[in-house]
Amino acid sequence: MDINFNKNEDFNKLLLSEIKQKFAKVKLGGGSKRIEKLHNEGKMTARERIDYLLDNKSNSIEIGAFVGEGMYEEHGGCPSGGVVVKIGYIKGKQCIVVANDATVKAGAWFPITAKKNLRAQEIAMENRLPIIYLVDSAGVYLPLQDEIFPDKEHFGRIFRNNAQMSSMGITQIAAVMGSCVAGGAYLPIMSDEAMIVDKTGSIFLAGSYLVKAAIGESIDNESLGGATTHCEISGVTDYKAKDDKDALDKIKNIVDKIGHFDKAGFSRIKASKPDLEENDIYGILPKLRTEQYDMMEIINRLVDKSEFEAYKEGYGQSIITGYARIDGWAVGIVANQRKVVKTKSGEMQFGGVIYSDSADKATRFIANCNQKKIPLVFLQDVTGFMVGSKSEHGGIIKDGAKMVNAVSNSVVPKFTIIIGNSYGAGNYAMCGKAYDPRLIVAWPSAQLAVMGGTQAAKVLAQIEASSLKAKGEIVDEKKEKELFDKIKARYDEQVSPYYAASRLWTDAVIDPLDTRTWISMGIEAANHSPIEKKFNLGVIQV
């Protein structure tokens, strides 16, 4: 191993340590004292409920663990968006579970909470996965009600999705394990089956205080909307549970009876580990995002037996395309090559840049995968499309548009892994969040932005300096450096993978060694949903 390998390994393992530290903090939700208070009430935490519900020793992946990080600080913060979402197995059946975290503002819904819930429902709808709601929420966080209530992607969309999933035949089960008030009361009751925990669960459109204020009626919350009321008088809920574990056991029993599903039919054989050492990824991936490396060295440590069948290997070399298997599943891989390559004509192509021939190759390969019903995996480390007169005269915009067209119209499931840079239109062409990947995750080395931090800061600093000069201010070299450093620091914060994850631009920041699990479970989920549309590129300029 050379010294660069060791330096890269140390740096990337430090990034991995940062993930673990951040996640340990996130797992505490609203903090130890609030967890203790919940336990004293005879309740489990959101994470304890999910862990009890999911099968022991089975894989699970968490969606949006870092959602809300750095947001709503003036309101006390919102760790994980106040809701925990996991894809895992219940009685051997893959499901998605959504659990309100009552330690975070009593489970109140912040704007990002609604976005995260909608993402969970989107995953369930795309993959036809059963979805379980573990409800324990005080409802909308009123100080931010204007950002969560009336718009298309706000709170009300959740109930619309409840109705649509029901019509699609997607199983929805809800357990009311705490508060369930106002508009939120519709979520469990629009599910296929609902249960409520005795003495701790309650459902009502308005609590006892509001009822007293509105109509003058005096009544306690238990009589108004407790388990006995809704199981024996109103008939709103289907099952009464004596405690949290009893409710979760009932969910397990219901899921156990769900019948088999129609499959999409993606190819899978017995899984094999990569032949090359997976841990080497930490040493191969450079410390600096500007440094070159061979993406094939990464691919060979992600795919079964380290076997990769390259498509058009000698053409359009700034993008790698080819077939492989990941955990037994057949996949088509589209990856940015990060080393400088030399073409047959002697032209040098820069790593991470998409050229016309690369875009053309990727378009053809995406079409082939759609014809063969092979899921697509995009490995992003892209700085954008090639610029300059030669590229413009060669039709780079046209070729880039063809690739974006193919990604947009692809009907096979797509999975995106942001390994390094994810800049500008390169993010779009390589299946960024706007292009509906079934799952999109980032490694801790990822950076998402319109352009790199240094370039962007230079442009913005020049604009700001010109503005100050126009006002008559003196801008010397020292002042220009101050402007640059200030803008660069702000920009660097915004390109961080955690900044993206906090806003749900990605589903997670993951250990590179967990990539195979995410792709495998993602394809397994997608296999629940047969492909009904045909691949059609529409009108493109050839």
Side-chain angles (χ1 to χ4, degrees):
M1 298 295 179
D2 62 24
I3 191 160
N4 272 343
F5 184 97
N6 292 333
K7 285 181 178 179
N8 291 339
E9 184 176 41
D10 289 344
F11 178 75
N12 286 310
K13 286 189 174 179
L14 279 174
L15 293 182
L16 183 59
S17 175
E18 184 182 8
I19 287 183
K20 292 177 179 177
Q21 289 171 17
K22 284 179 178 288
F23 186 59
K25 184 178 178 182
V26 157
K27 284 176 73 173
L28 293 175
S32 300
K33 288 184 178 178
R34 290 181 184 173
I35 291 173
E36 185 181 354
K37 182 174 181 288
L38 211 63
H39 287 163
N40 289 337
E41 294 171 357
K43 296 163 70 174
M44 303 164 75
T45 67
R47 292 183 180 278
E48 288 168 346
R49 287 165 177 169
I50 292 177
D51 288 345
Y52 183 84
L53 185 60
L54 297 181
D55 296 344
N56 287 330
K57 298 180 181 177
S58 65
N59 284 332
S60 66
I61 54 179
E62 182 168 347
I63 305 296
F66 298 117
V67 160
E69 179 172 301
M71 302 170 70
Y72 312 117
E73 296 298 334
E74 67 277 22
H75 297 276
C78 189
S80 257
V83 64
V84 182
V85 177
K86 284 191 179 183
I87 300 174
Y89 301 88
I90 302 172
K91 295 291 186 178
K93 292 182 173 66
Q94 198 177 42
C95 302
I96 185 162
V97 185
V98 181
N100 299 116
D101 186 349
T103 70
V104 179
K105 289 285 191 296
W109 290 59
F110 283 68
I112 199 67
T113 315
K115 186 174 183 180
K116 186 170 175 180
N117 275 267
L118 289 170
R119 176 63 179 141
Q121 289 184 322
E122 179 183 42
I123 292 170
M125 293 169 81
E126 284 181 331
N127 301 292
R128 296 181 179 270
L129 280 184
I131 183 167
I132 316 299
Y133 306 102
L134 307 180
V135 184
D136 193 347
S137 172
V140 167
Y141 183 63
L142 291 177
L144 296 174
Q145 64 85 27
D146 62 319
E147 298 179 39
I148 189 174
F149 172 62
D151 210 348
K152 181 178 179 180
E153 299 301 328
H154 284 177
F155 193 69
R157 187 80 169 183
I158 291 163
F159 313 134
R160 173 261 192 193
N161 288 349
N162 286 142
Q164 289 216 332
M165 280 191 278
S166 183
S167 71
M168 293 168 68
I170 298 169
T171 298
Q172 300 176 84
I173 303 169
V176 179
M177 311 179 85
S179 297
C180 183
V181 301
Y186 288 106
L187 184 147
I189 311 312
M190 293 189 74
S191 300
D192 302 324
E193 295 186 84
M195 61 197 66
I196 184 169
V197 178
D198 195 22
K199 300 298 185 288
T200 56
S202 58
I203 309 172
F204 34 64
L205 296 181
S208 56
Y209 292 123
L210 187 54
V211 168
K212 176 69 173 176
I215 63 172
E217 181 184 2
S218 295
I219 187 170
D220 63 89
N221 282 337
E222 182 65 24
S223 301
L224 181 65
T228 299
T229 295
H230 286 309
C231 288
E232 300 177 20
I233 300 173
S234 71
V236 164
T237 48
D238 306 307
Y239 308 92
K240 183 197 284 189
K242 63 183 180 182
D243 55 26
D244 281 8
K245 287 187 176 181
D246 186 37
L248 297 169
D249 286 336
K250 290 180 187 299
I251 293 172
K252 291 181 184 183
N253 291 334
I254 294 169
V255 172
D256 189 42
K257 311 297 188 299
I258 296 174
H260 288 287
F261 55 89
D262 295 332
K263 295 183 179 180
F266 303 123
S267 170
R268 191 181 197 187
I269 61 173
K270 185 179 179 181
S272 299
K273 291 280 188 182
D275 285 350
L276 297 179
E277 177 55 55
E278 294 174 72
N279 280 288
D280 286 351
I281 288 173
Y282 300 125
I284 294 165
L285 197 64
K287 176 179 177 179
L288 297 177
R289 296 273 43 83
T290 52
E291 288 184 12
Q292 306 290 311
Y293 65 96
D294 188 352
M295 181 62 85
M296 278 307 309
E297 294 295 328
I298 300 290
I299 292 172
N300 287 333
R301 287 161 175 81
L302 292 177
V303 301
D304 291 12
K305 297 182 179 179
S306 301
E307 293 178 349
F308 181 78
E309 186 67 37
Y311 172 82
K312 287 185 177 288
E313 185 175 11
Y315 178 73
Q317 294 179 70
S318 73
I319 285 184
I320 296 169
T321 51
Y323 304 104
R325 288 189 182 273
I326 292 178
D327 199 35
W329 295 102
V331 296
I333 293 176
V334 180
N336 302 111
Q337 177 56 284
R338 283 294 292 145
K339 68 176 184 177
V340 175
V341 294
K342 191 174 183 180
T343 66
K344 291 280 186 180
S345 64
E347 179 189 6
M348 304 302 291
Q349 290 192 350
F350 298 104
V353 180
I354 302 176
Y355 290 78
S356 283
D357 54 357
S358 306
D360 176 69
K361 176 173 83 170
T363 301
R364 293 172 184 234
F365 181 71
I366 290 167
N368 283 346
C369 287
N370 274 272
Q371 186 184 55
K372 297 179 177 69
K373 203 157 71 172
I374 300 173
L376 285 158
V377 174
F378 292 83
L379 303 178
Q380 282 196 17
D381 194 346
V382 58
T383 53
F385 285 88
M386 190 59 188
V387 297
S389 61
K390 185 175 181 181
S391 292
E392 297 293 359
H393 296 170
I396 185 67
I397 295 175
K398 177 183 67 177
D399 291 319
K402 287 194 294 187
M403 184 176 174
V404 170
N405 195 316
V407 172
S408 302
N409 287 300
S410 180
V411 296
V412 295
K414 299 167 292 197
F415 302 89
T416 301
I417 316 297
I418 304 174
I419 289 175
N421 303 324
S422 181
Y423 296 157
N427 169 282
Y428 301 158
M430 291 294 294
C431 197
K433 182 69 181 289
Y435 293 82
D436 298 322
R438 296 293 177 97
L439 294 171
I440 176 170
V441 297
W443 288 4
S445 47
Q447 294 185 350
L448 286 80
V450 173
M451 64 177 74
T454 301
Q455 300 95 312
K458 282 180 180 178
V459 172
L460 293 170
Q462 287 170 6
I463 293 171
E464 193 162 333
S466 297
S467 175
L468 291 173
K469 287 175 183 177
K471 294 174 183 176
E473 293 189 34
I474 297 173
V475 182
D476 56 15
E477 190 174 320
K478 182 182 177 183
K479 180 67 174 177
E480 284 184 345
K481 187 178 185 306
E482 285 176 2
L483 287 172
F484 173 81
D485 290 344
K486 180 182 176 183
I487 293 169
K488 177 75 161 55
R490 185 176 72 237
Y491 203 86
D492 285 347
E493 179 188 350
Q494 292 176 354
V495 303
S496 158
Y498 297 103
Y499 191 90
S502 70
R503 288 150 180 81
L504 213 56
W505 301 343
T506 61
D507 291 317
V509 183
I510 68 167
D511 181 344
L513 300 191
D514 290 335
T515 303
R516 283 170 52 86
T517 298
W518 274 80
I519 292 171
S520 177
M521 288 188 66
I523 297 174
E524 182 180 349
N527 205 35
H528 286 74
S529 182
I531 297 172
E532 296 172 352
K533 290 174 63 178
K534 288 187 176 180
F535 177 65
N536 186 340
L537 274 178
V539 178
I540 61 170
Q541 296 189 30
V542 295

